Amino acid sequence: MGTPITSSIFRAAAPSDITLDRLGPLKELSGRWVGTGFNLVSLPNGQNGNIPLPFFLKLNTTMEALSFTKIGGPIPNRGSSQGDIFFLGLHYLQQVSDGVTSALLHLEPGLWLNLPVSTSPAQPRTLARLGTIPHGDSILAQGNLINNGDPFPGPPKIDPVDSTPFTLDATTGARVNDTNPAYLAPFVTPVSPPPPGITPAIIANPNLILTNAISAQTIVSTFVLAVSANPVGGINGTPIAPPATPNIVGGIESIPFVGTNANVNANALSAIFWIETVENSDGSTFLQLQYTQTVILEFVGLKWPHISVATLVKQ
């Protein structure tokens, strides 16, 4: 006979309702979400001898499945200069495919964590997202709770996001958009026909996909989850991409091929997720998840925004 299973060997999970309550603003994420979106990324063109340009602009409409599964038991972090902390989180798996060909574009497993206050180091309640990308990147993005983790009434405020390559002013840190006409041309008139429904205005500001999706909806409340990893700063620390008040904790680690300036360096991430309660005409409601994410890629002396957006519905 085998060894009997006892509580001294395994940590028991809490009941589902208790677990969800302790997830704070993450609790509504639990489950499976599906929907569509848009992905814009500028990639090095070294494979083609940098002819005619040192980059090419890749545009994809997307289909996405994003699943969250709760971690049943508390996660202990052992303290030394302060007492232990315990928290809960969610596993997630993101799968993104091309909206036209159905080819897989992105695969990302990871965790979202609801972190408590700590005194050493002094940190408020925060959210953390840990993700692993097959290109050879691992991210730790963190963000302070917005509105104390409670929902705002009404729809989200979705600011524009700028897809133009840029540098930073050496004195002020302000964003300086590149003005090379040859570099800007693909953002106005793509070399290849863009996917169906993608206009020059959307290429300039992919967040239009999000605002267009909710323009005729009645959204009664919105949770806001904002995280960042090594955010790119501007004047007085103002970030280049949302969220407006990034957390300076976090970063991106990469294999040398994509972690140095030899090829392309992915070194910053900023993201906002909105969990929206949408009201139908008959008064019933459903949950919707929207997000905008900007990853900064560096090559040929410029910073290139890699922007992904999506609107997903909970199944």
Side-chain angles (χ1 to χ4, degrees):
M1 294 180 64
T3 303
I5 297 175
T6 68
S7 60
S8 62
I9 299 175
F10 298 98
R11 182 180 296 124
S16 293
D17 55 345
I18 296 175
T19 302
L20 288 174
D21 282 343
R22 292 182 60 185
L23 284 170
L26 300 180
K27 65 182 179 181
E28 297 292 1
L29 286 177
S30 184
R32 176 178 167 84
W33 306 76
V34 298
T36 60
F38 175 59
N39 181 77
L40 176 152
V41 59
S42 302
L43 297 170
N45 201 26
Q47 192 73 23
N48 299 311
N50 290 339
I51 299 173
L53 293 171
F55 79 99
F56 63 96
L57 184 64
K58 184 175 174 63
L59 307 172
N60 303 89
T61 54
T62 58
M63 301 180 296
E64 180 168 341
L66 181 54
S67 299
F68 298 88
T69 307
K70 64 181 184 298
I71 298 171
I75 303 163
N77 272 11
R78 305 306 183 184
S80 175
S81 57
Q82 74 159 84
D84 298 348
I85 62 171
F86 296 83
F87 48 88
L88 292 180
L90 298 165
H91 301 277
Y92 76 86
L93 178 63
Q94 183 183 35
Q95 297 169 288
V96 183
S97 299
D98 182 87
V100 176
T101 67
S102 299
L104 184 65
L105 295 175
H106 183 77
L107 176 70
E108 182 180 327
L111 300 167
W112 277 84
L113 304 175
N114 179 34
L115 302 176
V117 172
S118 66
T119 57
S120 180
Q123 282 278 292
R125 284 183 63 200
T126 55
L127 302 175
R129 171 182 156 203
L130 293 76
T132 304
I133 296 91
H135 293 295
D137 309 287
S138 293
I139 63 169
L140 192 166
Q142 195 160 331
N144 296 341
L145 292 192
I146 296 176
N147 198 36
N148 199 36
D150 295 324
F152 290 93
K157 180 180 183 296
I158 301 177
D159 294 321
V161 63
D162 189 346
S163 63
T164 311
F166 65 96
T167 58
L168 297 179
D169 184 276
T171 301
T172 66
R175 176 179 182 143
V176 181
N177 281 358
D178 192 71
T179 58
N180 185 330
Y183 283 17
L184 298 182
F187 291 87
V188 178
T189 306
V191 175
S192 300
I198 301 304
T199 64
I202 289 173
I203 295 171
N205 171 25
N207 280 2
L208 283 175
I209 291 279
L210 304 179
T211 54
N212 290 344
I214 63 174
S215 61
Q217 290 182 331
T218 300
I219 297 176
V220 296
S221 64
T222 305
F223 282 96
V224 183
L225 313 177
V227 293
S228 59
N230 189 31
V232 177
I235 298 175
N236 298 323
T238 301
I240 297 304
T245 54
N247 192 300
I248 62 172
V249 178
I252 301 176
E253 292 292 336
S254 304
I255 61 173
F257 192 89
V258 292
T260 67
N261 290 324
N263 293 292
V264 56
N265 189 4
N267 60 10
L269 174 145
S270 297
I272 299 183
F273 290 69
W274 294 277
I275 307 172
E276 304 153 354
T277 299
V278 185
E279 185 176 41
N280 294 312
S281 58
D282 63 1
S284 61
T285 60
F286 65 92
L287 287 179
Q288 182 170 269
L289 176 64
Q290 293 192 295
Y291 72 79
T292 180
Q293 175 174 288
T294 298
V295 177
I296 300 299
L297 306 177
E298 291 194 358
F299 58 92
V300 298
L302 291 173
K303 299 180 184 294
W304 305 80
H306 169 16
I307 302 169
S308 305
V309 301
T311 300
L312 315 174
V313 175
K314 195 169 190 178
Q315 300 298 285

